[in-house]
Amino acid sequence: MEFMGDKDKVYDSILPASEYYPELALSEFQSLFHFLSNETEESLLQQVRVARIMTHRELLAAMSPFESLNELSLAQFGDIDTAATLYKQAVFSLAADFIISNQISSDTTKDAAERQEALTQKAEHCSVQYRRAIDLLINAHETYRIEVI
């Protein structure tokens, strides 16, 4: 296994910008998530694609009054950077949650118990980060408190 964020193997795949949303570079995902994984570039890209689709579906109603994510950002936060930052946080956190959850399901040996606990905590953290980013994008402030029990 290698670190996904290993600087010697930076993936160059990009999900292109869409009508509302900015492009997403797999290298940026790698730079943010430095956990062990044996995922290929193609499998990482697939997880980011699925996370992006799910994020777009959640933001559909919030985006409908706006022409772009920048416009939503200006209306909600008074700048054009905040919404793009939260959007990337949401997509990348959800993708990381998928990848970590996959690692947990394949790590079933007795010796892996401590590793599974650490991975479970990381997955829960990513899930909370996703939910917080979506909440902020939709409501411009956190509307509820998320706790992992």
Side-chain angles (χ1 to χ4, degrees):
M1 284 194 218
E2 297 177 4
F3 279 104
M4 286 177 21
D6 185 350
K7 302 296 184 216
D8 294 334
K9 192 174 184 181
V10 175
Y11 297 141
D12 59 357
S13 294
I14 293 176
L15 290 174
S18 66
E19 180 182 354
Y20 290 116
Y21 304 105
E23 76 175 23
L24 296 174
L26 206 51
S27 60
E28 190 172 356
F29 176 79
Q30 285 179 281
S31 71
L32 295 173
F33 294 95
H34 293 271
F35 49 85
L36 288 172
S37 177
N38 58 0
E39 302 286 329
T40 64
E41 181 173 7
E42 293 77 22
S43 66
L44 289 177
L45 188 58
Q46 177 65 14
Q47 299 299 344
V48 173
R49 278 188 191 116
V50 171
R52 186 177 185 179
I53 291 165
M54 292 176 70
T55 301
H56 288 185
R57 294 303 301 164
E58 281 216 50
L59 295 176
L60 196 58
M63 286 300 300
S64 63
F66 301 101
E67 295 291 322
S68 68
L69 192 61
N70 287 347
E71 201 176 286
L72 175 139
S73 192
L74 279 171
Q76 300 277 58
F77 306 106
D79 63 54
I80 61 170
D81 299 323
T82 301
T85 299
L86 291 169
Y87 168 76
K88 288 180 181 183
Q89 178 73 29
V91 173
F92 290 158
S93 292
L94 187 57
D97 181 38
F98 293 159
I99 294 162
I100 295 166
S101 296
N102 186 43
Q103 285 180 282
I104 292 169
S105 67
S106 63
D107 228 0
T108 57
T109 66
K110 184 178 178 182
D111 296 333
E114 285 184 21
R115 177 173 158 73
Q116 279 196 323
E117 179 60 30
L119 287 172
T120 299
Q121 289 176 4
K122 180 70 173 174
E124 290 170 351
H125 175 74
C126 289
S127 181
V128 167
Q129 292 298 96
Y130 169 74
R131 186 56 41 215
R132 290 178 81 193
I134 291 294
D135 190 32
L136 284 165
L137 280 167
I138 292 172
N139 301 300
H141 63 280
E142 290 186 83
T143 60
Y144 52 90
R145 183 176 171 161
I146 302 167
E147 290 186 38
V148 177
I149 299 173

